[in-house]
Structures are given as C-alpha cells and as structure tokens.
Amino acid sequence: MNRFEYIKAPSIDEAIDMMDSTVPEAMVTRKDGSAKVVKAAGTDLLDLIKEGILEPGRVIDLKNIPGLDKLSYDKEKGLQFGPMVTIADLENSPEVKKHYRALYLAAAHAATPQIRNMATMGGNLMQRPRCWYFRSSAHHCRKKGGTTCFAQIGQNQFHAIFLTNVCPCVHPSSLATALVAYDGMVELTGPEGKRVIPLSEFFTPSEVDVTCENVANNQEIITNIMLPPVNEGTRAFYSKHGQRESYDWSMGDVAVVLQMDGKKCRDARIIFGAAAPIPLRREAAEAELKGKTISEKVVAKVAEKALEGATPLAHNAYKVPLFQTLLKRAVMEAVG
Amino acid sequence: MANPNKKKVVLPVAPDKEAHGPVKHLYSKKIKLPYGVPGHGLTEKEREVAIDEPPPMPINEKLSVVGKRTKRADALYKVTGAAKYTADIQLPGMLYGKFLRSPHPHARIKSLDLSAAKRYPGVHAVHVLDMEPGGSVQLDGGHDASAETYNIDKLPLLRYVGQPIAAVAAESQNIADEAVKLIKIEYETLPFVLELDKARQKNAPVVFEEKIEEEISEGDVGVTAADKQQGNLRGPTTSSFLGGARGDVDKGFAEAEFILEKEFRTQVQTHCCLETHGVVADWQPDMLTVYSSTQNTAGVRDDLAELFDLPKSKVRVITEYMGGGFGSKFGAGHFGVMATILSRKTGRPVKLMLNREEEHLVAGNRPNSHQILKMGFRKDGKISAIDLTSYGTAGVALGAGVGRVAQDLYECPNFRMAQYDVFTHAGPGAAFRAPGNVQGIFALEQMIDEAAERLGMDPVKYRDIIDNHEVRKLERMKGAEAFGWKNKKPGSDPGPIKRGFGMAQGHWTRFINLNSSATVRINKDGSVAIMSSVQDIGTGTKTILAQVVAEELGLMAEDITVKIGDTLYPDGPGSGGSVTAGSITPAVRNAAYKAKMDLLGQVAGAWDVEVSDLEMKNGDVYSKSDSSKKMSFGEAVKKMRTNQIVATASRPDDYGGFEIGNGIGYGRLGSVQFAEVLVDTETGFIKVERVVAAHSCGRPLNPMQVESQINGGVIMGVGYALYEDRILDLNTGHMVNANLDQYKLPYAKEIPQIETVIIEHYGAFSSTDASGIGEPANIPTAGAIANAVYNAIGVRLYELPMTPQKVLAALGVS
C-alpha cells in the first residue's frame, strides 16, 4: 500500500473541489501517484490499494458529509436514497422489502452481513470488476491500459457470456442488476451542478471504453439514487447464484420486474448480472413476455430468447443453461 | 523444492523400517488392560511392560477427568485475543522482512541491483538467497548460510512463480514492502509447463535437468530410486512401508466375474492456514531464539542448528499458539532461514510473516492426481485384483502419491501399483492432512460404490463382506443407524432438485513418534506444571495433557499449568501424521505417575503406611485401609522434603511392540462417513445437507475436542469435494485466485449438519491408549459426497472439485 493523504470532506462541494480523478483514471492515465479520489466505505477502494493496482495521492472520505445516508419512500415519488446508505440499510428497510422485492433480495444476498453493514450503495455502483487478471498487479490488462486481455485466452470460467469482444469482465454489483430492473436513476453532482441519468445509461460497456465501467467523470460524485414508484400490478424477483451460498460473488444473477394485468404481462424488465461488463437488459426476452399469460411454456421461450446472441468463452458455457434456469425460476417466482 | 543434492527428506512421520526389535526390560511386569469396545465384547489383554509403567488406565466410564468433555484450556485466551500467536510477537528493536519473489514460472536471473533497496530509508539489510529452499518444508543441506555475498552466476534457476529470490529487513512492514520493489532485476524467461498431462509429454519443458537424488518426500507412499527420472516424470513408486505388489494381478483379473476400470482426477488444494507461515528470529550471541508458527518446534530447531552450525542447545524455538498448519508447517522453511540470516546481519530481531498470496504460492499444497484404477470382483463381491497407476504433481517438489488405501483398505490377494511424480513449474506441495489417502479414497470408494451397485448390494452391507476390520464394521453399523441409512430412498424427487445419499470409508496408519518426552513438576504450593516442546497446533493438546495429569493426581484439568511449545523443555513430537495424542500422552502420564510415586512415598513415610496403600482422588490423598488417614492434595504437598518434585518420562514402545520398525503401530484407524446431498440438475449446484461421521481414535481423551477435530475434517473434506481449487493461468504461470476471496473455502452456509459417532476403542497399546483423529476425519468425506451425488442424479463425477460446471457437463446440459 502506498502512502497517501487522507482527508475527511465536510461537504459535497468541498469533496468535489478536493477530488480530481475517477478511480479508473487513477489506474490508467494518472498512475503517477497524484490522483485525488473519493472514498465511501472503502470496501473496494482499499482492496484496490492493497492489491497494488491503485496508488492515489489523496483519498477524500465522504463519511463525514451529513445527509448522504438518508432513505425515503413515497407512494407517488418512489424510493430515494443517498450514496452513503448501506446495503444493510436497504435490506432492513420495511418499505424496500414491501415494495421493491427484487432489490431487497439482491441486498440480502450480497457479500456478508458484516460487509453489508459497511458497504455503501454509492460505492457499490462505483466498484470495479473482480476479474482476477484485472485484480492482479502482474497482469497489465486492457482495463488497466494494457493491450492484452488475459481472460479471453486464459481462465474465464467466471467471466462474461455477452459483450465479450474487448474485455469479458462482469460487472461486480449484484445490487445494480435489481436497480436497473426497476428503471432506477442516478444523480451525479459535479462542479457545474447536478445531472440525473437512468442507470441503464450510467454503465459503460467495454466496447465504448474498456478502462472504466460508468460515465461519472473526474469531479462527479453520486449524490442520489432514485427508483420510480411501483404499482399494484408490479411483480418482481431476484436470484443470485454463486459457487457458494455464503459470501460469494455472482456466477449469474437475474432480476425481473413485471407489470401484470391480472395473469397477463403488460411490461417486463429482465436484467442479467454477471453476464456482461454491464448489468445486461434482455429486451428480446422482455418483448417475448409482453402480452402473454405466464406459463412454463411461455417462460421457456422467454429464457431461450434471453440467451440469444450469447458468446460464451472457453470455460463458461455452463452459464447459458444457468441463466436460462435462473430466469425461468425468477419469472415463475415473481408471479407466484 | 526437490533437491538434487539431498538423499532423504525428513518426514513428519518417519516410518523407520530398520526394525530395532522389541525393547528389553531388566525388570518387567504383566498387566491386564482393557481391550475392545465397551458394550461390544470388551475384554482384557495381558501385556508385559516395564516395571515402572503406571497401572492400566480403566475405561473412560470409570475415570473422573480423562474421557470427559473438558473445556479447552486456552479457550478464553483465544476468544479474547489474549493468546499471542507468532504474528503477534513484538520484540524491542524488531525489524520486518519482505521477500522479492519470482514473477516468472521459469526464468534465469541475468542481473541484480540491490543498491536502491539498500539506500531506501529505514532498510537495514538486503539478502540474496543463493540456495533453493523449498516451500515450508524442505531445506537445503550444505549451504553456506553465513555467506555475505552472492555469485550472480550461481543463483538458483527460478522454477515457479513465487520462488524466493531476496529479502529486505526494514523498520516497518510498509518500508520493507516498498523497498523490496526497488530491487532491480533482469530475467531471461524460459519455457514452462504447468499441466500434469502436458508435463509428461516428450517435448515438454523440463523442470529439473539434473537427477533428483531425494528418495522420498512427505505424502509419498514410498521410496523411488533417483535413476527413474525421465523428463518431468519420476518413478514409479511401487511399494510403501506397508509392502509392495502381492499375488498375481493378471490371474486375479482372469478370475474376476467383472472388472471395473476408471480414471479419476483430483485438483490442487492449498492449506489456507488462517495464520500464515512465518517467524520472528532473534539472533543473540548466546542463543538464537525463533518464534515460529510451526507444527514441530524441535524440527525447526534441528534445521536451524544444522544450517547455521549451532549446537541444538543454543537454538530455542517457541510456538505458544499456532493458527493452523495441516501438514504444511514442518521445518524452518525459507522464511525461517531468511529471517535468521537477516537477524544475524542486523543484530536485531526480524519478523517475517508470509502474506495471503505468498501462503497460496509457496507454503505448500495437496498435489493433484490422475488415477487409473482397475479392480476385479468375484461373484461373491470379494475383490480379486487391484491395479493402480497414478500421476500427480507437487510442482517443484516430490510427494504426489495417492496413498495406501487401494493397497491396504480391503482384503485383496492380488495387488500392484505404480505411482508417479510429475514435476511442473508450480509451487511446492507439502504434506496435507492425510497426504495421498484423501486423493486415493475419492477413487477407491467410488469404485466400491459402483461394484456394490453392479452386485445389486447395499453399499454398507457390501463393505461388511470385503472389509474385516472390526472397528470399522462397528462404525458402519452405528453410523448407518445415526444416519437412518436403511430408510433413505434416493434420487426419486420429481422436481429438478434431487436428493441423494452416499457413504465412504477410509483408514490411517497408527503412527507413533518415540521422540516424545515431558516433565511434570509438583511444587510445594500445590501447583502442578507440564513441560514439553510438543506444540498445540489448535487441536487441543494442552487440554488433553492437563486432563491426563489431573486424572493421575486426582485433580481437575484446570489445576494443571501446561507449558509446551518451547524447545527448552524436553523434546516432544512434531504434530503430523496424527501422532501427537498417541505419542505424548503416555509420556506425560508416565511422568505424572513418577512424580506421584515420589510424592506418595514422602507422604507414606510421614504416615507410616505402604505407598501402595495410598490413593489420590478428588483432590485428596488418603489411605485405602485406614479412613482416618486422609488429607487434601494441598496439605499433602506440604509434606514434601524439597520445594519441587520433578519427573521426566519418554514415550516407551507400544505395549506389544510395533508392526513395523519403531513407529508404525498395529491396527489402523478406521473412519466411516455418510453424506446427504441435494443436487440441482438445472444449475448444477450441490449442497451437502448432512454428514454423519463415525470414527475411532483409541481412547477418546476429550470427546468435545474429538468432535471438534472431526467437524474440522469434514468441513475441509466438503471444501475439497466442492469448492477448493488452485487455478493457474496457463499463459503466465500465475495462480489467479491466490486469496481467500476467489479461492473458495466452505463458509457458514456450506457447512452441513455434522453428527459424530465416536467409537471408544481400547487396543492396550500404551498407558493412555490414545490415538490421533486429525487425519482420519478428513479422508472419506469427498468420497462419501461423490457417492451421494451419484445416488442423487445417476451420473458419476470422476473429477474434483464437483462444481456446477462439472455437474451440468456430466448431465449433458452444457
């Protein structure tokens, strides 16, 4: 771990003034040890520093900034929470459990109870992939500014089966899978003020820019996360599959949010986690579900559509049937 | 690392085949000891023993402390953090060490520049290792450890990622970590090979051009001659200390009703000791003191004494608390040698603890295996022939055999084996909780399961036909009862998630280490202490020693102070091969008995009664014939003529002698385990729901700790069966999951409900009649789970770990 300056920012504006780099930039174009980056709980940031792949000059802690850990729910406005809300806060919120089942399930299955108590939602969305080559200081991969993708030619059993051309890492946030399924939005605050964008546009595919995972720029901080209200016909489910049940990353996770008219599906969101470098929406499968009465047969067809276009690598073809099963079960569970 | 110059490596358990013959006694006596299993035809066995052996210890039911569930002596210190492990040791002026390690799997060092590292503020020394020490275990002899300089042309070839090159000692860990990065080094990279199959091919890059003279390594089954080395292939080993080929294998197959021939593969498992390997070395003019996280304080002392040319009396090794070793923590290790060198260079204590990544790369592992097992079966189920060929790689080390289970678990008149070591450019293997046998059982017990099915027989009943081991038979019976075996109807669930049941068994040799001595001291204030260099590696040795002495003196376990893990005390055994309880407890009891006799003699004089009339029980000393003569232990010790009674005793031979040499006892330790699993046929996910583990370990000294050891063995077996796997990147030679995040150990939800059945088995072998349990507990688990998986889905998995990927592939889903 390198030496760095550590500052607790008193306010968002001051934190923005103090920072000058995203974590991805600090790992590629600002490797001289001068980058000034922000930290929430540090669950991931400290890992990166300890792994010797991030050497910031300054770490700006957001922990002392008041008001970033508020969570509120309103029937009309939906769910809103600050970046310092922890995963445990979501898991323990009665409103989340009641109205946003898929999000609750995602929160309840993330990491460990201890980590959920510490890890923040802002940090969760900003965390970097767990690809073992990316995390290894011995492998100068594309994501770190190199020219080789070691996963494409190496050990890729836990890597992507979609969007694998440039960098087949998978996005590490399983909470994001659920948030995207609820059409979540994120508010970013920078020197010029705030901008609000849908989470579906927040994440950056590696084809667009392999060195980062989202559109936040070097002086932007997530200040709010918003989910639209649900209605009476909303049915949702989330399930995650890891090698282990306790404390594991996802081998595959699926969030489905359905708008039901009685037994008919009016609209659907189907999102795959750990399938691609971003939380991956499966539009063709959603279309297949729209207007249909849900049955085993319909769901089988939906699952087939959802995996169309998959390009599994040498060691992860098992993910195709895995996602099909997870999706089929999630839809059936959602409608109960 | 396998060492071209060394003839023999010391094993954690050294089956010395040079039979010395039974020890003769000037004065002996005949005693009758409990023999068999209480409630199942317990009898007595008469043994002729030395005159000063204590009287037979009755069965547990008749005892007050031994055999009772007793709280761990150091539990409070451990859970409050008061216990000081090696990693916690802080000495005045202590420096911190850090290694520079090879980033390449095969390379030659072309140039080395230490100047920047030496200049870095806070750095006190930089040392280049000009020898090839192995992981934690093996050590070069004949090396000039005092050399201050190195010859660039004589630096060892780098043969695996992580191989130690040099180290710095600095004022903080942070400074050491930074400074070591400043060592400038140029490499000439060379072609390398990592895979077992590829390393065997003719054109594969060769790991050792020179012949490896080393004959044996831990985990190996026997001795292979050095001339049997071609390319990376070395062997075969065709015999173990239990013998070699027997009968006529071809004739046996000809006589078989049916023959099964299958191939099995197992993965590399790393030890994952929660406390990493490491030492604090303090070189002082009059004494070298080394705090070491080791399973063998005496062994570390011997290594360092030899290497640094010091008298053993001037090397002190201390292990007060130890955070797990599982076979990987024998010997000084390259870190121990380096820390000692750095301490001598700087005149300061040096702490050198490996980090988690280093722990995976260089501190040992269970070698993988490729086993081709062919077995013939007669119509009545009896095994007519066994032919085993195995290949395994311990990376740059030897010891990749698959054990002695095929050879010795079942009756079979015709047997042969050929076990090969294959060198690869990967970190050295080390002994790992029942080395070889764990790999071997995965294959053997699936074959037996398959044969039972072929014969239309229940797997438990089938084993009653082919296995005549009485204790194991009882374990099968009691285990099956606890498990509800006969009520289990497998694989019939209509949904995608199938439930299955399976069982497997294993065995382990009863090793005894005669280098087991202890001192018992009774002080005039009534305090009692035990002293030995034997270490408690987390299994509860301190507690059982206190129990044994308390039983002898009529006290409570908590009345006894246990000072162990320090080579200033009498030598105790290394804790490997499940030898500790069986080796040291008789020595401790005998020392306590001697001290007791001394004390009673003094009391008898004061009371004018015979010593034989006196008894010590429930904290009192009293005359058996005169009830008026009674006093508390506290009063009795006041009668002592001196301030202290001291008695030392060593482990005598087993009563009745040894089966082989001076350390392999009669009788094998049996183990039988039953597993219940759920298999999701659509996701491939396996969940172990329940394990019933039936075991024997001679006299169970502390059932609570026996259970704890069995639980640990089962959990480790679940990890081996389903999750753990050292994954190497084939393009760069790096382990990609060298952490505890992506190297998967079983955690809370992966641990099944574990029920233990402990068979109290008396063999009349010693004054405590205890045996070990560490290794037997880990042997059958993966086999039982594999058989249960087959039972659930009807498809057999021949390869570990049984991941969702492999299950789906076996089912033809992906």
Side-chain angles (χ1 to χ4, degrees):
Chain A
M1 181 184 278
N2 72 312
R3 286 164 184 270
F4 54 80
E5 185 185 16
Y6 173 78
I7 303 177
K8 288 178 181 164
S11 70
I12 280 288
D13 288 346
E14 282 160 285
I16 290 165
D17 270 353
M18 291 176 193
M19 75 186 288
D20 70 357
S21 174
T22 62
V23 169
E25 276 176 14
M27 293 173 66
V28 179
T29 51
R30 298 282 308 277
K31 282 166 77 175
D32 56 355
S34 69
K36 298 162 184 167
V37 300
V38 293
K39 159 191 171 292
T43 316
D44 184 39
L45 192 91
L46 292 178
D47 268 2
L48 295 167
I49 296 174
K50 284 189 275 187
E51 282 151 359
I53 53 175
L54 169 65
E55 296 192 340
R58 178 191 286 174
V59 171
I60 303 135
D61 203 327
L62 304 179
K63 237 186 294 186
N64 276 19
I65 302 175
L68 296 182
D69 58 353
K70 297 267 187 302
L71 180 146
S72 65
Y73 172 75
D74 181 287
K75 239 172 83 176
E76 307 298 319
K77 291 184 190 150
L79 185 70
Q80 203 173 118
F81 51 90
M84 299 301 280
V85 162
T86 64
I87 301 177
D89 291 338
L90 286 188
E91 185 189 0
N92 297 330
S93 152
E95 283 92 2
V96 171
K97 190 168 183 179
K98 189 171 172 199
H99 304 293
Y100 299 90
R101 186 188 185 196
L103 180 60
Y104 161 75
L105 289 170
H109 289 87
T112 65
Q114 292 89 336
I115 292 175
R116 298 202 287 269
N117 284 336
M118 277 302 290
T120 67
M121 285 307 298
N124 183 275
L125 293 177
M126 298 297 289
Q127 69 182 310
R128 308 227 58 200
R130 306 304 299 195
C131 167
W132 41 37
Y133 296 105
F134 171 66
R135 294 274 163 173
S136 155
S137 56
H139 295 88
H140 188 53
C141 75
R142 282 182 193 152
K143 202 166 249 319
K144 289 182 288 196
T147 51
T148 309
C149 172
F150 297 89
Q152 285 175 338
I153 54 169
Q155 298 290 356
N156 48 38
Q157 43 271 58
F158 303 116
H159 285 75
I161 54 169
F162 290 98
L163 310 179
T164 54
N165 272 341
V166 180
C167 162
C169 76
V170 297
H171 198 276
S173 169
S174 53
L175 273 304
T177 312
L179 292 171
V180 174
Y182 282 109
D183 291 335
M185 313 276 280
V186 63
E187 176 192 272
L188 294 167
T189 303
E192 276 90 53
K194 298 176 189 304
R195 59 174 174 146
V196 173
I197 48 172
L199 271 170
S200 55
E201 292 167 25
F202 175 69
F203 297 105
T204 306
S206 37
E207 278 85 350
V208 175
D209 184 350
V210 65
T211 65
C212 66
E213 294 80 44
N214 60 61
V215 301
N217 68 38
N218 59 8
Q219 273 194 297
E220 274 184 324
I221 297 172
I222 294 178
T223 43
N224 240 325
I225 299 153
M226 295 85 73
L227 299 191
V230 292
N231 58 52
E232 266 182 26
T234 304
R235 297 286 179 271
F237 196 73
Y238 167 89
S239 88
K240 169 180 151 183
H241 198 71
Q243 260 186 306
R244 287 185 303 221
E245 282 181 279
S246 27
Y247 193 16
D248 212 349
W249 301 97
S250 169
M251 289 166 97
D253 56 302
V254 171
V256 295
V257 178
L258 310 176
Q259 305 304 330
M260 301 296 292
D261 273 338
K263 298 212 160 181
K264 256 195 189 144
C265 176
R266 182 163 49 79
D267 198 5
R269 287 286 178 279
I270 296 173
I271 313 297
F272 283 178
I278 55 170
L280 193 69
R281 193 171 159 192
R282 305 310 297 139
E283 279 100 341
E286 292 171 1
E288 186 67 33
L289 204 49
K290 266 183 219 173
K292 302 263 171 62
T293 301
I294 289 172
S295 67
E296 295 273 355
K297 204 175 150 191
V298 166
V299 169
K301 182 81 187 154
V302 168
E304 205 176 295
K305 277 269 176 222
L307 273 301
E308 269 177 13
T311 53
L313 306 165
H315 305 296
N316 68 1
Y318 73 94
K319 279 196 175 191
V320 171
L322 177 68
F323 272 104
Q324 284 178 333
T325 299
L326 291 178
L327 177 54
K328 281 190 270 188
R329 290 183 188 174
V331 173
M332 297 312 284
E333 286 280 352
V335 297
Chain B
M1 185 178 306
N3 186 328
N5 307 313
K6 201 154 184 194
K7 293 281 183 210
K8 193 168 180 185
V9 169
V10 178
L11 295 167
V13 283
D16 186 350
K17 293 221 276 185
E18 306 293 319
H20 300 292
V23 171
K24 290 188 175 158
H25 307 292
L26 181 58
Y27 297 106
S28 66
K29 60 182 178 185
K30 285 183 177 166
I31 56 174
K32 284 185 174 163
L33 297 117
Y35 193 73
V37 179
H40 295 272
L42 179 78
T43 57
E44 285 190 328
K45 180 103 180 167
E46 189 177 82
R47 300 278 199 198
E48 186 170 352
V49 301
I51 193 81
D52 56 353
E53 278 292 304
M57 191 183 264
I59 63 168
N60 280 350
E61 193 188 81
K62 297 178 183 168
L63 301 177
S64 315
V65 188
V66 165
K68 305 292 175 266
R69 301 177 72 82
T70 305
K71 197 181 84 182
R72 222 170 255 265
D74 50 14
L76 189 68
Y77 307 129
K78 286 188 172 180
V79 298
T80 57
K84 292 271 177 284
Y85 291 79
T86 302
D88 299 319
I89 299 293
Q90 295 290 336
L91 298 178
M94 189 175 81
L95 301 175
Y96 296 79
K98 175 73 180 175
F99 270 106
L100 170 72
R101 295 185 178 279
S102 173
H104 301 294
H106 196 192
R108 193 170 283 121
I109 296 173
K110 283 167 64 184
S111 73
L112 197 56
D113 178 0
L114 308 178
S115 53
K118 281 185 170 166
R119 278 200 310 271
Y120 195 74
V123 170
H124 284 241
V126 182
H127 185 84
V128 177
L129 212 54
D130 60 354
M131 57 173 170
E132 300 189 19
S136 62
V137 189
Q138 296 143 36
L139 190 68
D140 228 334
H143 156 76
D144 180 10
S146 64
E148 280 294 318
T149 53
Y150 60 90
N151 180 343
I152 188 78
D153 300 321
K154 289 196 173 158
L155 289 182
L157 192 62
L158 302 174
R159 294 188 171 98
Y160 62 97
V161 171
Q163 183 174 326
I165 297 169
V168 302
E171 283 165 16
S172 74
Q173 192 63 59
N174 220 4
I175 294 172
D177 292 354
E178 289 304 310
V180 81
K181 292 182 199 161
L182 300 176
I183 297 176
K184 287 197 194 86
I185 186 159
E186 258 186 299
Y187 303 95
E188 176 195 348
T189 60
L190 302 165
F192 61 92
V193 65
L194 303 169
E195 293 158 284
L196 185 60
D197 296 352
K198 287 200 175 148
R200 281 158 54 192
Q201 289 169 6
K202 276 216 170 71
N203 55 355
V206 173
V207 179
F208 292 102
E209 293 287 355
E210 60 275 54
K211 292 283 180 230
I212 301 300
E213 295 291 332
E214 191 176 306
E215 289 178 336
I216 190 170
S217 166
E218 69 229 55
D220 217 338
V221 288
V223 173
T224 54
D227 56 359
K228 290 183 185 164
Q229 182 180 331
Q230 279 197 313
N232 294 316
L233 192 65
R234 191 172 183 283
T237 301
T238 54
S239 67
S240 75
F241 53 78
L242 298 178
R246 57 180 186 258
D248 182 337
V249 172
D250 297 328
K251 190 166 150 262
F253 283 123
E255 287 166 11
E257 172 78 8
F258 64 95
I259 292 168
L260 298 176
E261 184 172 2
K262 302 283 173 185
E263 295 190 27
F264 299 85
R265 285 178 186 268
T266 62
Q267 79 280 34
V268 173
Q269 180 187 26
T270 58
H271 293 68
C272 294
C273 309
L274 277 193
E275 181 188 30
T276 58
H277 288 59
V279 302
V280 178
D282 188 11
W283 182 287
Q284 297 294 332
D286 56 341
M287 179 76 86
L288 166 64
T289 304
V290 177
Y291 298 83
S292 174
S293 180
T294 181
Q295 296 173 243
N296 190 1
T297 53
V300 173
R301 175 202 58 198
D302 294 352
D303 277 355
L304 293 173
E306 185 188 345
L307 196 69
F308 292 93
D309 200 19
L310 293 167
K312 286 184 186 181
S313 57
K314 292 208 169 182
V315 182
R316 181 183 182 190
V317 175
I318 303 169
T319 305
E320 204 178 350
Y321 290 93
M322 220 281 263
F326 314 109
S328 68
K329 286 183 178 168
F330 283 84
H334 65 279
F335 42 87
V337 174
M338 182 58 99
T340 305
I341 291 170
L342 290 169
S343 176
R344 188 169 62 169
K345 272 192 168 181
T346 60
R348 298 228 215 171
V350 173
K351 178 185 268 190
L352 218 172
M353 298 297 296
L354 302 190
N355 66 21
R356 184 54 59 190
E357 184 187 14
E358 293 173 302
E359 189 70 10
H360 281 286
L361 296 179
V362 307
N365 57 64
R366 182 189 299 286
N368 62 8
S369 76
H370 173 202
Q371 306 173 53
I372 302 115
L373 185 57
K374 185 177 174 188
M375 293 175 72
F377 299 86
R378 296 183 208 279
K379 204 180 245 169
D380 61 1
K382 295 267 188 188
I383 303 164
S384 66
I386 300 175
D387 188 0
L388 167 69
T389 304
S390 77
Y391 303 90
T393 181
V396 295
L398 289 170
V402 297
R404 305 169 294 274
V405 287
Q407 180 177 17
D408 196 46
L409 184 57
Y410 296 108
E411 276 181 276
C412 173
N414 307 303
F415 170 81
R416 75 177 163 225
M417 67 177 178
Q419 304 197 16
Y420 293 90
D421 272 294
V422 181
F423 292 118
T424 53
H425 290 101
F432 193 168
R433 207 169 188 172
N437 285 17
V438 171
Q439 297 95 298
I441 272 297
F442 174 71
L444 179 70
E445 285 297 272
Q446 288 213 77
M447 289 286 268
I448 297 297
D449 202 58
E450 214 162 316
E453 189 187 24
R454 185 83 172 255
L455 290 157
M457 294 182 72
D458 174 87
V460 174
K461 287 198 187 111
Y462 175 50
R463 283 174 175 84
D464 286 343
I465 293 173
I466 54 173
D467 178 17
N468 61 3
H469 189 282
E470 285 302 322
V471 179
R472 237 175 357 247
K473 193 167 185 177
L474 206 53
E475 287 169 352
R476 279 195 297 275
M477 191 183 90
K478 295 211 165 192
E481 213 172 272
F483 190 73
W485 177 258
K486 69 172 187 218
N487 303 320
K488 301 295 183 196
K489 293 280 172 282
S492 50
D493 307 62
I497 297 172
K498 309 289 185 191
R499 188 175 292 273
F501 311 94
M503 58 90 58
Q505 52 183 41
H507 82 343
W508 187 248
T509 315
R510 269 187 65 251
F511 294 104
I512 301 299
N513 187 338
L514 294 178
N515 297 311
S516 301
S517 304
T519 292
V520 170
R521 265 191 204 160
I522 301 175
N523 295 306
K524 208 165 188 170
D525 66 351
S527 60
V528 179
I530 305 169
M531 282 155 291
S532 171
S533 83
V534 69
Q535 50 292 309
D536 187 336
I537 60 170
T539 54
T541 302
K542 284 177 190 163
T543 314
I544 56 172
L545 298 188
Q547 285 178 272
V548 166
V549 172
E551 184 71 46
E552 194 59 38
L553 300 181
L555 301 173
M556 309 285 279
E558 54 267 34
D559 297 334
I560 315 295
T561 302
V562 184
K563 296 300 291 175
I564 59 172
D566 187 334
T567 58
L568 288 190
Y569 304 138
D571 270 16
S575 296
S578 302
V579 304
T580 315
S583 300
I584 191 68
T585 60
V588 164
R589 183 182 175 213
N590 293 11
Y593 176 70
K594 273 193 195 176
K596 172 177 149 180
M597 285 301 111
D598 196 347
L599 174 66
L600 290 183
Q602 299 185 29
V603 172
W607 272 343
D608 196 20
V609 295
E610 292 303 315
V611 175
S612 58
D613 184 40
L614 293 179
E615 185 99 74
M616 292 176 81
K617 230 175 190 175
N618 302 324
D620 291 326
V621 180
Y622 57 92
S623 157
K624 287 184 271 188
S625 61
D626 177 356
S627 61
S628 71
K629 285 175 174 155
K630 180 175 178 174
M631 60 179 136
S632 70
F633 177 76
E635 289 167 316
V637 290
K638 294 209 174 79
K639 307 275 180 208
M640 281 164 54
R641 296 169 176 208
T642 52
N643 283 336
Q644 204 172 58
I645 290 174
V646 180
T648 299
S650 298
R651 174 64 155 91
D653 280 12
D654 263 9
Y655 297 165
F658 291 113
E659 183 181 338
I660 302 167
N662 63 357
I664 296 187
Y666 286 100
R668 311 265 179 270
L669 299 169
S671 50
V672 178
Q673 295 184 2
F674 297 80
E676 177 172 350
V677 304
L678 290 175
V679 185
D680 189 328
T681 55
E682 292 178 351
T683 63
F685 192 80
I686 298 172
K687 165 112 180 140
V688 183
E689 293 252 290
R690 187 169 171 242
V691 169
V692 169
H695 291 264
S696 62
C697 53
R699 176 197 301 275
L701 297 166
N702 183 351
M704 199 154 76
Q705 290 186 166
V706 174
E707 283 168 16
S708 190
Q709 282 274 82
I710 296 173
N711 287 341
V714 169
I715 293 165
M716 214 166 221
V718 169
Y720 185 59
L722 303 184
Y723 310 107
E724 297 180 50
D725 197 0
R726 180 195 68 180
I727 302 171
L728 297 180
D729 178 58
L730 301 180
N731 299 304
T732 60
H734 282 255
M735 176 176 175
V736 291
N737 57 343
N739 50 50
L740 289 183
D741 181 31
Q742 287 152 322
Y743 184 92
K744 311 287 179 186
L745 292 171
Y747 289 160
K749 286 183 180 171
E750 284 65 54
I751 294 171
Q753 183 190 334
I754 303 168
E755 292 154 55
T756 54
V757 176
I758 302 171
I759 308 287
E760 188 178 327
H761 174 237
Y762 298 96
F765 293 126
S766 73
S767 63
T768 61
D769 214 2
S771 284
I773 185 65
E775 278 154 310
N778 185 44
I779 297 171
T781 315
I785 293 170
N787 286 338
V789 168
Y790 172 74
N791 184 260
I793 61 175
V795 180
R796 204 168 271 288
L797 297 180
Y798 294 96
E799 194 175 333
L800 288 178
M802 295 179 274
T803 56
Q805 294 95 305
K806 293 204 187 95
V807 174
L808 290 178
L811 288 166
V813 179
S814 70

